[in-house]
Amino acid sequence: PADGIPYFEFDPTWPKLPFPNEDWIIGNVIGLAVDSRDHIWVLHRPSSVTEQARGAAFTQADAPCCRPAPPIVEFDQDGNFIQAWGGPGEGYTWVTSEHGIFVDHDDHVWVGSPTDSQLLKFTRTGEFLLQIGEPGHSERTSSNPGILGGPAPWVDPSTNELYVADGYRNRRIIVFDAGTGAFKRMWGGFGNTPLDPPPGRPARHHEGEGPEQFGTVHGVKVSNDDLVYVADRNNQRIQLFTLDGDYLKQGFVNRNESSDPGPAGGRTVSGIAFSADPQQQFIYVADYSNSHVVIVERETLEVVDSFGIMSPTPGDFQGIHNLAVDSKGNLYTAESDPNNRAQKFVFKGMGTAPRDQGVVWPEGSD
């Protein structure tokens, strides 16, 4: 783009650890969200803290080890620990495997799961407010709005509508009233009526328009100009819709990059987040299969840059699953197995030179 592309610098000091409970350890970091105060909410899977992981943590930290931290951990923008909570409680059924997290404009915290059929809503201090869907279901139910199938949440502040990427068993975007949980509408890939997938693992499409239905619907965001962007992970694409589900266009991300030609190598749109400028000029994409953050121009849905390689080294990625952006444009990434970590990349401005030739910073930049 003529105005350049965003540049970031890895912050090795974020978050500040150890926790107040020094024997806590984090498992698969599966989700991230940023609230109205620019606090960062990290969702991890305590059940993934295995004996092997405990031993590795003990070796690396040389500290007493190890109990899994509560599944939801809040940090401020500087990485200071604020609070942690989550897990089973009175009046609701906690998820069996944590997955999606979102903090809405009222600082309500939403939690989903890839294996469960319900969404949970809490206050920022963990008080239970609402459950959408019926727990305990494992069947594919893309035509039934009452049973979710691996949901990930996002709330539109202008309408208080809850958009759900649903998800792992189902193949749809479904919309509810975020206050009451009442069903409003739903749609599938290209705006079609959502249909359950056939048995077996889907084939990977390397060319053409791709399947008529979504693959793994892994994330959804609504832009400031009221457009709905869907992360269709296993189909390597972002699809764009109106608020009512009318299909507009799509763009592919690293469709053929992975050395794995099978379906497992095609999880390139695992999560999406918009840049912090008012125009939301860019979409940041978590490319799970290739360990990249991919930068996409929102207007064209074209890939304009990427960064990151597959490595356990801080600043690199392994299993990048989701990402989020704060009001200053800083980028936060969530890595599940094997790295089990959250990382921060500080927004440094817009550059106009290729990365391997140095950066041309705007006048007045540090």
Side-chain angles (χ1 to χ4, degrees):
D3 294 337
I5 53 177
Y7 280 79
F8 298 91
E9 181 178 273
F10 172 60
D11 181 356
T13 69
W14 194 99
K16 293 179 171 61
L17 298 174
F19 293 110
N21 298 59
E22 293 189 2
D23 62 341
W24 277 359
I25 184 174
I26 289 287
N28 299 157
V29 179
I30 210 71
L32 284 168
V34 178
D35 68 15
S36 60
R37 297 168 298 171
D38 274 342
H39 284 196
I40 293 82
W41 296 71
V42 173
L43 179 70
H44 81 107
R45 290 174 176 161
S47 62
S48 69
V49 178
T50 63
E51 290 302 320
Q52 181 179 4
R54 294 171 194 232
F58 180 81
T59 300
Q60 294 168 9
D62 194 23
C65 199
C66 289
R67 292 185 299 124
I72 295 174
V73 185
E74 180 186 358
F75 299 96
D76 67 16
Q77 198 176 62
D78 294 327
N80 299 304
F81 172 81
I82 303 299
Q83 63 169 339
W85 53 265
E90 185 176 352
Y92 63 90
T93 302
W94 185 255
V95 297
T96 57
S97 179
E98 293 78 5
H99 186 248
I101 185 170
F102 182 73
V103 184
D104 66 24
H105 53 288
D106 291 322
D107 282 343
H108 295 143
V109 181
W110 297 82
V111 179
S113 166
T115 57
D116 292 313
S117 48
Q118 83 271 22
L119 268 174
L120 301 175
K121 177 183 179 182
F122 300 89
T123 67
R124 65 172 303 275
T125 55
E127 178 185 353
F128 172 66
L129 296 174
L130 180 68
Q131 179 171 293
I132 298 177
E134 301 175 2
H137 291 271
S138 59
E139 67 272 24
R140 301 181 187 275
T141 56
S142 294
S143 61
N144 184 346
I147 301 175
L148 303 178
W154 192 88
V155 178
D156 185 349
S158 63
T159 63
N160 203 39
E161 288 186 327
L162 168 67
Y163 287 76
V164 179
D166 185 45
Y168 271 73
R169 294 191 306 276
N170 297 337
R171 295 291 186 267
R172 65 189 177 187
I173 294 296
I174 186 167
V175 184
F176 300 92
D177 184 289
T180 66
F183 166 71
K184 304 192 79 169
R185 58 191 178 276
M186 63 182 179
W187 66 86
F190 293 97
N192 297 321
T193 299
L195 300 175
D196 293 330
R201 202 166 190 176
R204 183 175 170 188
H205 292 246
H206 292 273
E207 57 185 15
E209 292 296 300
E212 289 297 304
Q213 292 290 337
F214 291 130
T216 301
V217 195
H218 209 255
V220 60
K221 297 284 190 302
V222 179
S223 62
N224 291 341
D225 51 359
D226 292 335
L227 297 173
V228 182
Y229 292 78
V230 178
D232 189 4
R233 186 180 72 174
N234 288 37
N235 286 327
Q236 307 92 47
R237 65 190 178 187
I238 300 170
Q239 287 203 335
L240 174 59
F241 301 88
T242 67
L243 295 177
D244 292 326
D246 296 326
Y247 171 75
L248 298 174
K249 62 180 179 180
Q250 66 180 356
F252 291 92
V253 175
N254 294 349
R255 196 177 195 183
N256 297 301
E257 178 178 348
S258 174
S259 59
D260 181 354
R267 295 174 288 183
T268 69
V269 188
S270 187
I272 56 176
F274 299 127
S275 57
D277 56 286
Q279 295 76 30
Q280 297 177 317
Q281 184 180 357
F282 299 100
I283 304 172
Y284 304 123
V285 179
D287 182 344
Y288 184 95
S289 287
N290 300 302
S291 295
H292 302 324
V293 170
V294 180
I295 302 175
V296 172
E297 190 170 31
R298 187 166 73 89
E299 183 178 356
T300 63
L301 294 184
E302 293 180 353
V303 174
V304 296
D305 200 14
S306 65
F307 64 91
I309 61 172
M310 188 177 293
S311 160
T313 302
D316 295 335
F317 306 111
Q318 284 189 130
I320 179 170
H321 190 262
N322 219 315
L323 34 69
V325 176
D326 66 22
S327 66
K328 296 180 180 179
N330 303 316
L331 180 67
Y332 302 85
T333 60
E335 291 171 79
S336 59
D337 186 47
N339 272 359
N340 298 353
R341 65 186 178 190
Q343 300 192 101
K344 178 180 180 179
F345 296 83
V346 179
F347 177 63
K348 300 297 291 184
M350 303 292 289
T352 57
R355 290 190 188 281
D356 58 358
Q357 297 179 21
V359 179
V360 178
W361 300 112
E363 184 177 355
S365 295
D366 291 338

